[in-house]
Amino acid sequence: MNVSKRIDFDSRPSRRLLIVAQLLALLALGLGLQFLWNTTGGTVFAFSTFAPVLTGIASLILIGILIYRFRKRHSLFDKETYEPGQEIFRQGDDGECAYFIRSGEVEVLQDNKVVARLSSGQYFGEMALLRDAPRNATVRAVARTEVAVLGKGNFLTMLNLMPATHEDIMKTVQERALSQTAR
């Protein structure tokens, strides 16, 4: 079981903004109805002043959310941040993704013994994806660590489309396997 908390970008902030946009649009509609029912100088002023502003703000919020969701949906990587001591995954977990360290440092543990330390520019979690097997180690953040997370499907597609990357990752996997057998 993965104990890390994934960030759900379509959750609370996005929903709150959508609700605000809808409330602003409803307020503009209410002002329009008020204008139709009681056409006086005050309602003409209120409608002509506030309704376009409220509708414009609601439209900008909606456009911003749509652009954000589009970019999120078409992003290859997710970004996650881990605090010192926080486990990214545990030995025996299912392999769902590979992790590329953007900043920080992690330690790799097998049977509660530190077997490696990895830092910015390195990656981990690829062995479980390549072998379609459970994780063979526990990985935990040593310092505040930001990682780019690549899902299994995208990872395997990347390997098929980029032969140089495939060779580099396979070389790393072989080196890690040799260092495990040497222990």
Side-chain angles (χ1 to χ4, degrees):
M1 180 172 136
N2 193 344
V3 295
S4 67
K5 293 183 180 177
R6 290 194 182 270
I7 301 170
D8 183 7
F9 290 99
D10 291 330
S11 65
R12 292 181 186 158
S14 178
R15 288 184 183 146
R16 286 182 187 153
L17 285 175
L18 278 175
I19 290 169
V20 168
Q22 290 170 347
L23 289 175
L24 289 174
L26 283 174
L27 186 59
L29 177 64
L31 287 173
L33 291 174
Q34 178 70 22
F35 171 72
L36 291 174
W37 286 322
N38 303 319
T39 305
T40 65
T43 56
V44 170
F45 173 76
F47 180 73
S48 64
T49 303
F50 296 115
V53 172
L54 295 174
T55 305
I57 292 171
S59 297
L60 289 175
I61 290 172
L62 185 61
I63 289 168
I65 290 171
L66 291 174
I67 290 170
Y68 177 78
R69 285 185 175 176
F70 176 82
R71 291 184 71 190
K72 175 66 181 145
R73 190 176 316 126
H74 292 87
S75 173
L76 187 59
F77 290 93
D78 286 331
K79 295 175 186 156
E80 294 180 1
T81 302
Y82 296 91
E83 297 301 323
Q86 187 177 5
E87 288 183 345
I88 298 171
F89 58 77
R90 295 183 64 80
Q91 188 170 351
D93 285 353
D94 290 333
E96 301 168 1
C97 50
Y99 299 83
F100 297 82
I101 304 172
R102 297 179 58 155
S103 65
E105 185 178 13
V106 300
E107 57 188 7
V108 181
L109 299 103
Q110 287 182 329
D111 302 320
N112 294 322
K113 275 180 32 182
V114 176
V115 295
R117 282 185 174 258
L118 305 174
S119 59
S120 184
Q122 295 182 300
Y123 53 89
F124 58 93
E126 78 287 349
M127 286 189 192
L129 302 181
L130 292 170
R131 296 179 181 164
D132 199 25
R135 302 283 188 192
N136 63 359
T138 298
V139 176
R140 131 178 105 204
V142 174
R144 182 176 173 87
T145 303
E146 185 178 313
V147 294
V149 182
L150 184 61
K152 185 176 185 175
N154 288 335
F155 178 79
L156 296 175
T157 300
M158 178 186 72
L159 293 182
N160 287 332
L161 295 176
M162 302 173 73
T165 303
H166 183 267
E167 291 172 16
D168 183 47
I169 288 177
M170 293 310 292
K171 181 180 174 187
T172 302
V173 168
Q174 288 174 348
E175 289 171 0
R176 289 179 182 172
L178 287 174
S179 70
Q180 281 181 355
T181 56
R183 279 184 225 119

